[in-house]
């Protein structure tokens, strides 16, 4: 039997990171953990190192690295601790590594994920923000290095599974008419508009079907997550924004669909558990046990669909406009959203102000071409500054 594949898990302490480690632990003969990273939850990172015995762990700064290194030694482990973005890029591109789970949340994941792409690794892409910010450059790097890019977002993984058989070999989407991107509608799908101004971060994070990190949970409530996913789908599947239709499907059983010119519509179904797309991508093109229970259609009994309400979900409209504008617009949208969501989670702004901040930022800055990564980070920084100015102007 061949040696187990070496896996780096960026963002190991998060929701996707933990689900990935759960799947990996079910298949010790196939996968071994090469490196794990954490950011604030460092005692959890230590526990994960004890459980999975990686060669490397990565933390954000030197003092934390010293502390973790001492704790690892005391636990009898030879795991080496690396620091910061440089450490993340190192474990993402190390020659021993076969696949990288990119599960850091937000713009912070871009450089390490790109380092893995440039090194030609198999990329399990959860960090959608990387693709939203720098789609053209990211996809160019994928084609140049020959990296295999496998989507982890349940919707994109579903679309990937429903694409023509030769899609993964030559990016052929011949015969595809539309992508139908499903959305649960989140916790506020039926909340009266008059009540949305006063919803709390905990209410926004109480997703009806999925258990996720707090940033993506707020994005799901506002449907910015679906907007980011629309942009992600355009890059992954070589589609125009007008070819991606968002469909609200409250049960989250159909994870997305592909509509073909002959009238066939293929869908992927499953219980809402991220271990399914993770196992699919880890083992692709084979199939492995993910630990997810079989789907019980009799218990589900019905599947509903509705069109999204623009008034209730202004973030979706803003993302659709940014997708159409292209160039720097998605990176600015993403950065403004990160600042606005962090301010909402800190209790500094109300839920409805998230969309106001993003709309304000996008209206203030012209859309420009992004020639290189520096231009991406310049657009990102500009949007963060403008969003910060909005917060100052409004005394937050
Ligand atoms: N959760 C889902 O079901 C789901 C589904 C589809 C796609 N995704 C995408 O997957 C990514 C991760 O989501 P999640 O729900 O797993 O988020 P999460 O639970 O908040 O985890 C985020 C991970 O990133 C680390 N991190 C945060 N800020 C960082 C920084 N500045 N530098 C380096 N590391 C940092 C965190 O470390 P600490 O925890 O130690 O602070 C944690 O390991 C996101 O891009 C999200 O959109 C998630």
């Amino acid at each position: 039997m061949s040696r187990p594949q070496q896996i780096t898990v960026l963002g190991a302490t998060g929701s996707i990171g933990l689900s990935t480690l759960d799947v990996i632990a079910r298949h010790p003969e196939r996968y071994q953990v090469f490196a794990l990273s954490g950011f604030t939850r460092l005692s959890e990172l230590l526990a994960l190192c004890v459980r999975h015995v990686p060669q490397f762990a990565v933390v954000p700064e030197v003092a934390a690295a010293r502390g973790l290194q001492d704790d690892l030694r005391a636990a009898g482990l030879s795991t080496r601790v690396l620091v910061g973005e440089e450490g993340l890029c190192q474990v993402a591109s190390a020659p021993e590594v076969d696949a990288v789970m990119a599960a850091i949340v937000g713009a912070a994941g871009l450089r390490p994920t790109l380092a893995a792409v440039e090194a030609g690794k198999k990329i399990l892409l959860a960090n959608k923000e990387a693709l939203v910010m720098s789609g053209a450059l990211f996809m160019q790097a994928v084609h140049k290095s020959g990296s295999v890019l496998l989507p982890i977002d349940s919707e994109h993984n579903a679309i990937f599974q429903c694409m023509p058989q030769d899609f993964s070999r030559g990016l052929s989407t011949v015969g595809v008419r539309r992508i139908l991107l499903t959305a649960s509608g989140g916790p506020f799908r039926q909340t009266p508009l008059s009540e949305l101004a006063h919803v709390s971060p905990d209410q926004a994070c109480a997703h009806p079907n999925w258990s996720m990190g707090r940033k993506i949970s707020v994005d799901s409530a506002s449907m910015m997550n679906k907007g980011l996913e629309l942009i992600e789908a355009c890059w992954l599947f070589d589609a125009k924004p007008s070819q991606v239709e968002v469909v609200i499907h409250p049960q989250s059983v159909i994870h997305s669909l592909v509509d073909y010119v002959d009238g066939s519509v293929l869908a992927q179904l499953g219980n809402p558990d991220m271990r399914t797309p993770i196992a699919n991508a880890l083992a692709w093109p084979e199939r492995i046990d993910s630990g997810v229970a079989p789907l019980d259609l009799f218990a589900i009994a019905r599947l509903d669909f509705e069109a999204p309400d623009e008034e209730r979900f202004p973030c979706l409209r803003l993302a659709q406009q940014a997708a159409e504008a292209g160039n720097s617009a998605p990176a600015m949208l993403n950065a403004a959203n990160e600042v606005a969501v962090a301010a909402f989670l800190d209790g500094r702004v109300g839920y409805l102000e998230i969309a106001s901040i993003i709309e304000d930022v996008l209206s203030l800055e012209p859309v420009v071409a992004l020639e290189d990564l520096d231009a991406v980070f310049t657009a990102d920084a500009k949007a963060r500054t403008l969003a910060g100015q909005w917060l100052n102007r409004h005394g937050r």
Side-chain angles (χ1 to χ4, degrees):
M1 180 143 188
S2 55
R3 70 169 177 87
Q5 290 179 39
Q6 300 293 310
I7 315 288
T8 283
V9 184
L10 303 175
T13 46
S15 165
I16 292 288
L18 294 176
S19 293
T20 304
L21 291 170
D22 180 277
V23 177
I24 286 177
R26 292 168 190 275
H27 303 279
E29 71 299 345
R30 291 182 75 118
Y31 307 113
Q32 233 168 38
V33 175
F34 178 78
L36 298 174
S37 86
F39 196 64
T40 56
R41 289 177 270 195
L42 299 186
S43 51
E44 285 87 339
L45 183 61
L46 173 64
L48 293 175
C49 289
V50 170
R51 167 87 181 79
H52 297 279
V53 197
Q55 294 190 34
F56 294 95
V58 189
V59 297
E61 35 92 24
V62 174
R66 285 207 191 101
L68 181 63
Q69 193 68 77
D70 290 345
D71 291 343
L72 287 164
R73 244 181 247 122
L77 296 184
S78 58
T79 303
R80 272 188 55 205
V81 183
L82 305 177
V83 181
E85 195 170 74
E86 203 184 318
L88 293 170
C89 292
Q90 193 177 324
V91 297
S93 59
E96 301 94 318
V97 171
D98 298 294
V100 175
M101 167 55 78
I104 289 175
V105 63
L110 176 55
R111 280 194 210 275
T113 307
L114 260 183
V117 169
E118 283 161 3
K121 303 303 179 193
K122 175 164 138 179
I123 311 291
L124 317 179
L125 186 71
N127 176 226
K128 68 193 83 184
E129 295 91 343
L131 204 49
V132 168
M133 289 172 73
S134 69
L137 296 167
F138 193 99
M139 294 310 289
Q140 271 168 26
V142 167
H143 298 312
K144 191 170 166 202
S145 69
S147 191
V148 174
L149 181 59
L150 298 163
I152 293 297
D153 246 319
S154 58
E155 295 79 358
H156 303 76
N157 185 269
I159 297 162
F160 179 75
Q161 292 193 51
C162 296
M163 275 286 160
Q165 273 176 4
D166 59 354
F167 169 75
S168 50
R169 285 193 292 274
L171 207 79
S172 164
T173 54
V174 173
V176 172
R177 180 161 48 195
R178 277 183 315 165
I179 289 169
L180 301 169
L181 188 65
T182 55
S184 68
F188 304 142
R189 184 173 61 91
Q190 292 177 314
T191 308
L193 271 172
S194 56
E195 289 176 23
L196 286 179
H198 308 293
V199 296
S200 70
D202 283 345
Q203 284 173 295
C205 289
H207 196 281
N209 306 334
W210 295 96
S211 158
M212 307 182 285
R214 283 174 80 77
K215 190 262 182 183
I216 185 178
S217 295
V218 176
D219 287 349
S220 294
S222 70
M223 282 194 79
M224 176 55 86
N225 183 49
K226 212 47 55 182
L228 299 177
E229 286 180 6
L230 184 150
I231 298 168
E232 183 186 11
C234 290
W235 289 115
L236 285 171
F237 305 112
D238 198 21
K240 297 185 189 67
S242 59
Q243 282 178 288
V244 184
E245 187 172 334
V246 174
V247 179
I248 294 196
H249 163 49
Q251 290 90 357
S252 297
V253 168
I254 297 180
H255 298 303
S256 278
L257 313 90
V258 175
D259 175 15
Y260 285 87
V261 289
D262 63 3
S264 303
V265 179
L266 302 194
Q268 185 260 358
L269 286 72
N271 286 318
D273 186 323
M274 288 306 294
R275 289 176 302 173
T276 294
I278 290 167
N280 176 267
L282 262 176
W284 181 85
E286 294 169 17
R287 300 268 179 181
I288 55 170
D289 172 37
S290 63
V292 176
L295 190 63
D296 182 349
L297 284 174
F298 298 118
I300 293 160
R302 56 181 278 182
L303 300 172
D304 295 304
F305 306 98
E306 28 181 279
D309 172 354
E310 269 211 5
E311 213 187 339
R312 184 180 297 278
F313 299 115
C315 285
L316 179 60
R317 170 182 52 81
L318 292 170
Q320 281 165 328
Q321 287 166 354
E324 289 290 352
N327 298 298
S328 59
M332 303 235 2
L333 170 97
N334 178 64
N337 180 56
E338 284 191 24
V339 174
V341 171
F344 170 66
L345 286 171
D346 285 352
R348 282 181 292 146
V349 302
Y351 169 79
L352 291 177
E353 288 173 314
I354 295 173
S356 308
I357 294 171
I358 300 164
E359 185 146 33
D360 192 67
V361 168
L362 292 177
S363 70
L364 290 173
E365 219 19 53
V367 175
V368 296
L370 298 178
E371 309 291 352
D372 53 28
L373 212 51
D374 285 346
V376 173
F377 282 109
T378 303
D380 177 276
K382 184 80 206 176
R384 284 173 202 274
T385 303
L386 291 171
Q389 286 168 356
W390 189 102
L391 294 172
N392 288 337
R393 267 203 316 281
H394 292 79
R396 315 304 168 82

